[in-house]
Amino acid sequence: VQLQASGGGLVRPGGSLRLSCASSGRTSHNFATGWFRQAPGKEREFVAAVRWNGNSQKYGDSVKGRFTISRDVAKNTMFLQMNNLKPEDTAVYSCAATYRVPIIQTMGDPAQYDYWGQGTLVTVSS
């Protein structure tokens, strides 16, 4: 499985961006994908994840209510709609995938994911 993230850029505080993650592999019902981010000098942080079967979702505490994860099964693509962006959202955002569909409680654990794409940089600054 190859993953390609895109959609990053420079945005002002309060603005919005939509990230995409295209998958080259099969997206069967046993498939889950997630977004993680890493800011300079900080540890990797879980952002959001979704199961492709049933659309169960999980969000990191810092993005709840502002970010929305979704997937388009026909296009093998996952999206992250980011609204009300804050300077602390500045980071490289990477997408990840797994066929070992984790339970909801562990969807935020990067060890659950076997495939990782290159990141896309999001900069929130005035």
Side-chain angles (χ1 to χ4, degrees):
V1 174
Q2 291 187 330
L3 304 172
Q4 180 65 51
S6 61
L10 174 64
V11 63
R12 295 183 182 277
S16 298
L17 276 178
R18 188 192 195 204
L19 304 183
S20 300
C21 177
S23 170
S24 66
R26 60 182 175 86
T27 53
S28 69
H29 63 283
N30 292 323
F31 197 62
T33 51
W35 290 97
F36 293 80
R37 68 186 183 185
Q38 188 163 20
K42 294 187 177 181
E43 294 185 353
R44 181 167 54 189
E45 179 187 9
F46 168 69
V47 178
V50 61
R51 288 179 176 175
W52 287 54
N53 180 29
N55 199 32
S56 297
Q57 300 171 6
K58 182 178 177 68
Y59 293 90
D61 289 341
S62 63
V63 306
K64 284 181 181 177
R66 299 187 298 123
F67 292 10
T68 302
I69 192 170
S70 62
R71 81 276 188 268
D72 186 326
V73 176
K75 295 182 178 179
N76 284 1
T77 302
M78 172 180 67
F79 303 97
L80 184 69
Q81 178 65 43
M82 305 185 295
N83 297 328
N84 190 21
L85 283 161
K86 304 175 181 180
E88 51 264 42
D89 293 318
T90 295
V92 174
Y93 286 70
S94 299
C95 54
T98 180
Y99 290 106
R100 301 179 293 123
V101 179
I103 59 175
I104 292 177
Q105 291 85 346
T106 62
M107 287 173 70
D109 179 0
Q112 299 294 324
Y113 298 86
D114 300 311
Y115 306 96
W116 291 82
Q118 291 186 333
T120 183
L121 177 62
V122 172
T123 303
V124 184
S125 176
S126 56

